Amino acid sequence: MTNQEKLNILKDGLTKSIKLRDQALARKESYEERKKEIEKNIRELGVEPDKIDQELKKIEAEIKELMEQTEKLIPFELLEKFNIK
């Protein structure tokens, strides 16, 4: 392989690498914008994005408690006694 052929291969590789880098930077910018939108939406819901895990655990606990309360209000024994399905 001649030096010119090697140079052409290197030039092609460099051109493709630059194109790939530019595409990655564009995707990164797009993802960062989307992240800002999501964080804004979370804040509009009254939660700080860095506390989202805590808030989700809190909501899960509330759901569990409400389900337990609801279960206590349904007369399952009565429904079973009258064979209501």
Side-chain angles (χ1 to χ4, degrees), residues 64-74:
K64 182 180 177 184
E65 177 64 27
L66 290 171
M67 288 177 70
E68 289 171 358
Q69 290 175 9
T70 302
E71 185 177 9
K72 290 176 184 175
L73 295 173
I74 297 173

Side-chain angles (χ1 to χ4, degrees), residues 13-73:
L14 181 58
T15 301
K16 289 177 181 176
S17 296
I18 290 170
K19 183 179 178 181
L20 183 62
R21 183 202 67 188
D22 291 343
Q23 290 172 345
L25 289 173
R27 280 194 311 270
K28 178 184 177 198
E29 185 177 323
S30 174
Y31 293 146
E32 287 173 345
E33 286 298 316
R34 182 66 181 132
K35 179 183 175 190
K36 287 178 187 176
E37 289 176 30
I38 292 169
E39 288 175 345
K40 179 183 171 202
N41 291 341
I42 291 171
R43 283 188 183 94
E44 288 174 356
L45 294 171
V47 179
E48 285 301 313
D50 60 335
K51 296 184 179 180
I52 194 77
D53 288 334
Q54 288 174 293
E55 188 66 21
L56 288 173
K57 288 179 183 176
K58 177 183 165 189
I59 291 170
E60 287 173 354
E62 289 175 8
I63 290 171
K64 182 180 177 184
E65 177 64 27
L66 290 171
M67 288 177 70
E68 289 171 358
Q69 290 175 9
T70 302
E71 185 177 9
K72 290 176 184 175
L73 295 173

